[in-house]
């Protein structure tokens, strides 16, 4: 697992850890988010190891006892 910071449009940045697999990233954090605020499409930025990557929210799940798990999809740059 790698430490990362997730900044989604309209939501305060949160820190957590990620696991990657292809175009998808699983982000886990000790923070829970307001489900009314997180529901709906969100684009954002994932910062890890000094690099930033554009992502879009695929799903959000609060974890019983605290924390959350967020599935993100990488936004690939369009070909010029």
């Amino acid at each position: 697992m790698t430490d990362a910071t997730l900044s989604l449009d309209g939501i305060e940045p949160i820190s957590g850890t990620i696991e990657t697999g292809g175009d998808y990233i699983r982000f886990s954090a000790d923070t829970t988010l307001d489900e009314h605020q997180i529901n709906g499409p969100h684009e954002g930025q994932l910062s890890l190891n000094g690099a930033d990557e554009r992502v879009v929210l695929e799903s959000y799940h609060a974890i019983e006892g605290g924390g959350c798990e967020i599935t993100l999809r990488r936004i690939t740059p369009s070909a010029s």
Side-chain angles (χ1 to χ4, degrees), residues 5-55:
T5 300
L6 176 62
S7 302
L8 293 172
D9 297 338
I11 298 171
E12 289 292 316
I14 59 172
S15 296
T17 57
I18 62 164
E19 291 181 42
T20 60
D23 290 340
Y24 291 90
I25 300 166
R26 186 171 70 188
F27 182 89
S28 299
D30 293 335
T31 306
T32 54
L33 303 173
D34 179 350
E35 294 206 30
H36 295 291
Q37 189 178 20
I38 194 74
N39 285 335
H42 289 283
E43 287 189 17
Q45 181 171 290
L46 187 67
S47 300
L48 63 142
N49 299 328
D52 296 330
E53 188 169 351
R54 294 293 297 165
V55 293

